[in-house]
């Protein structure tokens, strides 16, 4: 495969990965990491292996944080352990049983809300605040993913120039 096609393919994957940080139908940082790896190993790149290791670790951290941050911010906004557990379980169930692009988000909100209602059925305001905390956590995670994906693209473009 020619050097320019490898370069084009890796840049496309990096850009799709950045888009995937907002669109849950795309695997986000995993696409960006694949683009980075193809750029490094598919062509004649002088990119340091340190970048590969740094972005691999950040991608793994990101995958974990995408599940942990909404549960933690849920608690910051008055949620209980029930809401945090509901957030995690709802996200997983949303991915599996709601096969639309934002199914995981619907599952997360439903899980937080139901978890809080399970804890205290009479306090619906607390359940809504807990959902707000989970949403803010989701935004934090999305922003982190976007920054890591953008950094990968910048590193590759800088290496090209």
């Amino acid at each position: 495969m020619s050097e320019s096609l490898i370069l084009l393919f890796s840049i496309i994957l990096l850009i799709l990965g950045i888009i995937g940080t907002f669109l849950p139908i795309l695997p986000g940082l995993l696409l960006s990491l694949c683009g980075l790896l193809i750029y490094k190993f598919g062509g004649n790149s002088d990119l340091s292996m340190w970048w590969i290791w740094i972005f691999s670790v950040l991608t793994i951290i990101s995958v974990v944080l995408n599940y942990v941050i909404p549960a933690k911010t849920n608690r910051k906004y008055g949620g209980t352990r029930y809401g945090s557990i509901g957030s995690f379980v709802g996200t997983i169930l949303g991915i599996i049983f709601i096969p639309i692009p934002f199914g995981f988000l619907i599952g997360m909100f439903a899980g937080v809300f139901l978890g809080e209602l399970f804890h205290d059925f009479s306090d619906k305001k607390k359940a809504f605040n807990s959902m707000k905390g989970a949403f803010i956590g989701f935004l934090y995670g999305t922003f982190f993913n976007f920054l890591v994906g953008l950094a990968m693209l910048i590193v590759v473009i800088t290496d090209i120039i």
Side-chain angles (χ1 to χ4, degrees):
M1 201 172 199
S2 79
E3 186 82 25
S4 58
L5 280 177
I6 291 172
L7 179 62
L8 179 65
F9 187 61
S10 64
I11 296 288
I12 288 171
L13 284 176
L14 285 160
I15 292 170
L16 283 175
I18 292 170
I19 293 169
T21 62
F22 294 102
L23 293 176
I25 198 161
L26 296 173
L29 283 185
L30 294 176
L31 281 176
S32 289
L33 186 62
C34 286
L36 184 71
L37 292 172
I38 289 171
Y39 174 74
K40 170 67 178 164
F41 299 114
N44 193 13
S45 169
D46 293 329
L47 188 67
S48 170
M49 276 303 293
W50 281 107
W51 290 117
I52 302 300
W53 286 109
I54 289 168
F55 287 126
S56 295
V57 168
L58 286 174
T59 300
I60 291 168
I61 289 170
S62 167
V63 168
V64 172
L65 288 180
N66 282 337
Y67 296 102
V68 173
I69 289 176
K72 293 293 184 186
T73 54
N74 152 45
R75 296 194 74 178
K76 182 179 177 185
Y77 280 80
T80 63
R81 184 169 175 238
Y82 289 91
S84 296
I85 292 169
S87 168
F88 181 77
V89 171
T91 301
I92 300 299
L93 292 176
I95 290 170
I96 295 170
F97 293 112
I98 307 173
I100 60 174
F102 291 100
F104 76 97
L105 200 55
I106 294 167
M108 178 183 70
F109 290 145
V112 169
F113 190 74
L114 292 174
E116 291 300 335
L117 287 181
F118 184 72
H119 178 258
D120 184 5
F121 188 75
S122 64
D123 198 357
K124 290 176 181 55
K125 182 178 181 189
K126 183 178 180 181
F128 279 113
N129 283 339
S130 185
M131 276 179 27
K132 182 174 83 173
F135 180 68
I136 290 170
F138 166 75
L139 292 177
Y140 285 158
T142 300
F143 186 66
F144 177 77
N145 290 344
F146 173 76
L147 289 179
V148 173
L150 185 62
M152 285 185 208
L153 181 63
I154 289 170
V155 164
V156 168
I157 289 174
T158 304
D159 191 62
I160 292 169
I161 297 173

